[in-house]
Amino acid sequence: MINQQTILKFLLGCILITNAFPLFSEATEWSESKRKKGIQILTRPVAGSNIEEFLGKTEVDASISQIIALLVDPQSCKNLYHQCKELTVLSGTDKKSSVYLRNGAPWPVNDRDVIMDRSFDQNEKTLTTTMKMKRLDSNAKSAPSGVTRMPAFEGYWKLIPLANGKTKIEYQAHFEPGGSVPQSVINMVLTDTPYETLLNLKSLVEQGKHKDAKYDWIKEPVTTNSGN
């Protein structure tokens, strides 16, 4: 009986160690892919996937509400999001909605699309605001002919108020494109998508687009003027 208990403990230990591996994989260090014009792009492997996830970082002189307005504006498909061909709100509100997104791809690769849940959440103390995006298993809008629906997509935009009045932005995402996509195209997407999108956002902020945007569910940090 003692031997059986020993064997069971050994097997249980093996199971726990095996299950721990994905957690270590998820903690893989980021590696920098690009740093230019105040924008940093990093990538890292994802456990169980051949596609890395990306993380883009930058800072802008804009309110949280202004950035949100840029992110949810249907016109942001062409003006903000890199390679976006269509961005349609299927249902819901600015704070929580079901959204259809179609991205272009270089020939002969098919365009990709996805229906996703998009929602905002703000930390009451830090005022850090997060826009979460996750693929929905939905047929609310069918994929057009010649377009491949992505089997997986998840990401977020994190807006972090800074002491200098600016807002730090983090744009992170991981996707499974489905179908056959050359690695060269994947590598390009992982770098170009976050970089060009953040570059576009900085440009729109400088142009004053949606500068006066306000949301009753968003609290802005209180800024104080130094000096007399």
Side-chain angles (χ1 to χ4, degrees), residues 19-28:
N19 288 341
F21 283 138
L23 297 179
F24 288 111
S25 298
E26 291 175 2
T28 302

Side-chain angles (χ1 to χ4, degrees), residues 103-169:
N103 276 354
W107 185 89
V109 179
N110 286 347
D111 288 356
R112 260 54 184 180
D113 74 352
V114 64
I115 294 176
M116 60 185 180
D117 175 78
R118 185 179 70 186
S119 61
F120 286 90
D121 178 69
Q122 185 176 47
N123 183 292
E124 293 183 0
K125 294 182 178 180
T126 66
L127 302 186
T128 293
T129 304
T130 305
M131 182 179 88
K132 298 178 181 178
M133 306 168 289
K134 189 170 184 179
R135 177 188 179 276
L136 288 174
D137 187 11
S138 169
N139 293 317
K141 184 176 175 66
S142 301
S145 176
V147 176
T148 300
R149 179 142 297 176
M150 290 190 283
F153 178 87
E154 187 168 3
Y156 71 79
W157 284 78
K158 186 172 288 186
L159 315 179
I160 308 166
L162 301 177
N164 60 7
K166 294 186 177 183
T167 301
K168 179 180 179 181
I169 299 177

Side-chain angles (χ1 to χ4, degrees), residues 172-191:
Q172 181 176 340
H174 175 256
F175 62 92
E176 294 293 340
S180 177
V181 181
Q183 189 60 44
S184 59
V185 174
I186 293 295
N187 294 338
M188 182 174 63
V189 170
L190 290 175
T191 302

Side-chain angles (χ1 to χ4, degrees), residues 44-61:
R44 70 176 178 183
V46 174
S49 174
N50 294 324
I51 311 296
E52 293 185 326
E53 65 179 326
F54 65 71
L55 171 61
K57 298 181 179 182
T58 194
E59 293 181 11
V60 294
D61 188 7

Side-chain angles (χ1 to χ4, degrees), residues 93 165 204 220 224:
T93 63
L204 291 170
E220 299 286 350
T224 56

Side-chain angles (χ1 to χ4, degrees), residues 62-126:
S63 67
I64 298 172
S65 295
Q66 181 182 6
I67 300 170
I68 290 175
L70 290 170
L71 295 178
V72 302
D73 185 352
Q75 293 299 316
S76 63
C77 172
K78 297 178 180 179
N79 301 328
L80 173 60
Y81 298 110
H82 183 58
Q83 295 289 1
C84 180
K85 286 190 173 181
E86 182 181 348
L87 179 64
T88 303
V89 177
L90 302 176
S91 62
T93 63
D94 283 341
K95 187 174 182 180
K96 182 174 177 57
S97 57
S98 173
V99 180
Y100 172 82
L101 174 68
R102 175 179 173 179
N103 276 354
W107 185 89
V109 179
N110 286 347
D111 288 356
R112 260 54 184 180
D113 74 352
V114 64
I115 294 176
M116 60 185 180
D117 175 78
R118 185 179 70 186
S119 61
F120 286 90
D121 178 69
Q122 185 176 47
N123 183 292
E124 293 183 0
K125 294 182 178 180
T126 66

